[in-house]
Amino acid sequence: MSAAIRATTPDLRSELIDWRERLEASANKSSDTFQLNGLLREVNAAIESLSREGYGVCQVCHDLIGQATMTIDPLAKTCLSCFTPEQLQELEQDLDRAWLIQGELLPKQNLKFNGWEVSYHYEPAGPVSGDYCDLVSLDNGELYFLIGDVSGKGVAASLLMSRLHAIFRSLIGAGLGVSELVERANQLFAESTMRPYYATLVCGKASKSGEMEICNAGHVAPLLLHDGSVTPIAATGLPIGMFCHERYSSTRVKLGKGDRLLLYTDGLSEARNRNDCEYGDERLSMFLNGCPQLPAISLVKELLEDLSAFSLARRRSDDLTVMAIEMVGH
Ligand SMILES: [Zn+2]
């Protein structure tokens, strides 16, 4: 996720205090305060208990538990280094199962549909990914493609990724235009997601004729590759989940045989190597100029090889997704 709009982890205590204020305001306005007072007592007890038990402090070593663990479990009482081997093993098994379930949400690899071929690579930085990637082909011959990046990382982001997956899967097929589809998805996502989480995404629809309609909600620009030239499809709206009633517009492009659309998350563009240099747009352009006519499947493969040659074996710090869609014709 880009530094400009990086999310902060919600602080449980501040959320509770905020909730108490809203409850108190409602209690002042309402004539029947019996239930509200009960709820207020519970919220007060929770705030007191957080203060008494040293919220965010490990009960074994008394060090701070750390943001990563608190993101997974806001009520964690032990830091990772104080876990017993059994607890660690249990956690690892849990995460392995979560990754298997996440894998089932991914679309078919090397999909061929109605004159299009799509290849993608999906790789988490940790045990699970907060990136979103989907392909949906409809009986009417249209192919929807989606790529996105949920703010934050780890388990919380992966849960929101599966929420996005469910929202779009339930809306696609309702005959909405791409921008309307993103507007509806934004509303559902914003209403059901605790702030400050949000997601950048690209939602597109490809038809048999080579036409594409693309809506970019705050995501890194997909690149249209045509005859050695590279055209970015810039964002025309905010990431989804920030405001309930955001409007979105879309861009229409036409692809001829051999043209490709390259989509990726910032795990590619913001990847850093051992010298702390960023992969960046410049290196990506250099790569694309160096191999202008690769088909989708080789484009993804060679791009990943270029990234790993650049990274000098530095461990990835962000989830990575790359997708290439090629018009191969009929
Ligand atoms: Zn500890």
Side-chain angles (χ1 to χ4, degrees), residues 33-49:
T33 56
F34 183 74
Q35 274 188 321
L36 282 177
N37 283 336
L39 209 50
L40 254 174
R41 271 197 300 278
E42 280 182 41
V43 173
N44 273 326
I47 295 170
E48 263 172 45
S49 132

Side-chain angles (χ1 to χ4, degrees), residues 146-164:
L146 298 119
I147 189 167
D149 184 355
V150 175
S151 59
K153 285 191 192 99
V155 176
S158 79
L159 285 172
L160 294 176
M161 169 273 179
S162 70
R163 182 175 296 171
L164 273 182

Side-chain angles (χ1 to χ4, degrees), residues 58-63 78-82:
C58 172
Q59 293 189 356
V60 181
C61 68
H62 307 291
D63 274 347
T78 318
C79 70
L80 267 186
S81 36
C82 288

Side-chain angles (χ1 to χ4, degrees), residues 200-202 215-222 232-239 248-249 251:
T200 67
L201 68 86
V202 172
C215 176
N216 181 349
H219 195 76
V220 277
I233 314 283
T236 52
L238 289 174
Y248 291 90
S249 59
T251 307

Side-chain angles (χ1 to χ4, degrees), residues 103-123:
E104 286 170 1
L105 298 180
L106 294 175
K108 189 172 176 274
Q109 189 53 273
N110 301 325
L111 177 82
K112 291 183 171 62
F113 180 77
N114 224 357
W116 299 97
E117 275 188 30
V118 190
S119 183
Y120 74 87
H121 175 82
Y122 185 85
E123 184 185 337

